Amino acid sequence: MTDVLHRPAPSGEGSGPGKSPVRVSSKSRRPLWRRWNIPAGFGALIWLVVIGAPLYALVASTLRTRDDYLEKGALSIPGEPTLENYNKVLESSFFQYLVNTAIVTVASAAIVIVLSVTIGYTVVRTRTRMSQRFFQVFLLGLAIPAQAVIIPVYLIITKLNLYDSLLGIILPVSAFSLPVCVLILSGTMRDIDEEMYESMALDGAGPARILWQLVVPLSRSGISTVGVYAALQAWNNFLFPLILTQSQETKVLTLGLYDFVGQFRVDIPALLAAVVLSIVPIFVVYLFARRQLVNGLMGVGGK
């Protein structure tokens, strides 16, 4: 709704038929405080406190000594900040755990990307009843938690002589990430126009060429989503490393945190420093791929 205000015409200008009155929005004449969305701002402030308080407690706790932490608590301001806890973490076996975790993460993400791309392409382009039944059975993995099948997985890994090895972690982590990734990529590939498939087929392109030259370039967002999701699942996984490994040489970061937990005491500041250092690499990956992750999960795909 706008109000029409008749203002005097500038000098040299008349108010003839070609001239129109100046229209001023009534919203722009409201006081500033009436245009504020106070409930939304209050909710955003509460959300900021809910998110910011744990992050502050996490970072601030790493900058104090253990005695200072136990005496003043997690939310107090560090009186004399120190990097002693970070030095303690870096002098431990942190880098070995970091390398093991990176190997598991990269290998799992690569396996998941290759398999989910080929499976999703097969499901989308092979429109037979058998392929649809296979897809439905495959998606049953979404309803099966890893905790429910950990004993059969342990027996299989043991029979394959992969116990206490990084490959014994990579295979089950990749397997349990595949159902979600196939679901994401199959939806992305269905967004590709059918005419594009037909035009490449008329040009004599086979299934492999169509996959490589058409489907993969147009599914970059979905592939990025799958890669980030698989990497997050592998980086943060705790169950499979706990059950399927036991030696110091195969420890990953999630198990390495136990180095700061003793039988009768817990070095909380050093433990939180290890948590902060373990978060940084995967957080950087998320920052660079967050847009592709959101687009892929929303079904935007490669369009």
Side-chain angles (χ1 to χ4, degrees):
M1 180 68 67
T2 57
D3 297 335
V4 179
L5 300 181
H6 294 275
R7 296 180 179 175
S11 60
E13 295 184 4
S15 55
K19 304 296 181 179
S20 59
V22 179
R23 294 181 177 272
V24 179
S25 174
S26 60
K27 183 182 296 186
S28 63
R29 295 188 292 112
R30 295 179 184 174
L32 181 61
W33 64 271
R34 295 189 63 182
R35 283 182 276 165
W36 291 346
N37 192 339
I38 297 179
F42 184 70
L45 180 62
I46 294 177
W47 182 249
L48 179 63
V49 172
V50 171
I51 297 298
L55 291 177
Y56 166 77
L58 174 64
V59 176
S61 299
T62 63
L63 300 177
R64 64 181 70 202
T65 62
R66 181 174 179 271
D67 295 336
D68 182 58
Y69 176 86
L70 295 176
E71 179 182 353
K72 298 181 180 179
L75 296 178
S76 61
I77 299 176
E80 298 180 357
T82 177
L83 297 177
E84 176 186 352
N85 298 305
Y86 291 98
N87 292 331
K88 188 183 301 184
V89 173
L90 296 177
E91 290 173 358
S92 64
S93 301
F94 178 81
F95 284 110
Q96 180 183 354
Y97 304 154
L98 180 63
V99 170
N100 291 340
T101 306
I103 293 173
V104 172
T105 300
V106 173
S108 299
I111 292 174
V112 169
I113 289 174
V114 171
L115 292 181
S116 58
V117 167
T118 53
I119 295 173
Y121 177 70
T122 302
V123 169
V124 171
R125 298 303 300 164
T126 308
R127 299 174 181 176
T128 61
R129 181 174 299 180
M130 181 176 296
S131 65
Q132 296 303 316
R133 292 290 181 267
F134 171 77
F135 182 60
Q136 294 172 0
V137 173
F138 193 85
L139 292 183
L140 286 178
L142 295 172
I144 301 176
Q147 295 83 352
V149 294
I150 188 60
I151 294 178
V153 169
Y154 171 80
L155 294 176
I156 293 173
I157 294 298
T158 303
K159 291 293 184 181
L160 294 175
N161 295 323
L162 296 177
Y163 181 76
D164 200 23
S165 66
L166 294 181
L167 185 58
I169 304 174
I170 292 170
L171 294 180
V173 169
S174 304
F176 280 91
S177 299
L178 269 176
V180 174
C181 296
V182 170
L183 181 63
I184 294 173
L185 274 183
S186 61
T188 300
M189 293 175 184
R190 285 193 178 96
D191 290 338
I192 301 175
D193 293 335
E194 184 68 24
E195 290 78 5
M196 294 184 179
Y197 289 110
E198 294 177 355
S199 62
M200 288 202 68
L202 291 176
D203 290 339
R209 181 182 169 191
I210 293 175
L211 173 63
W212 182 250
Q213 296 185 357
L214 175 66
V215 176
V216 171
L218 294 181
S219 303
R220 285 193 298 266
S221 289
I223 294 173
S224 300
T225 302
V226 165
V228 174
Y229 175 80
L232 288 173
Q233 293 297 310
W235 190 275
N236 297 323
N237 195 274
F238 175 77
L239 179 64
F240 292 127
L242 177 65
I243 302 300
L244 302 177
T245 61
Q246 64 177 4
S247 65
Q248 189 77 9
E249 290 74 17
T250 56
K251 269 189 177 182
V252 295
L253 285 175
T254 50
L255 292 183
L257 299 178
Y258 276 102
D259 291 351
F260 305 97
V261 180
Q263 184 177 2
F264 301 106
R265 63 187 294 272
V266 179
D267 193 348
I268 297 179
L271 175 62
L272 296 180
V275 171
V276 171
L277 292 177
S278 65
I279 290 173
V280 171
I282 198 66
F283 182 69
V284 172
V285 173
Y286 171 76
L287 286 180
F288 284 100
R290 66 186 185 278
R291 180 173 298 179
Q292 289 82 359
L293 178 65
V294 173
N295 289 343
L297 291 176
M298 292 177 63
V300 175
K303 292 187 177 182

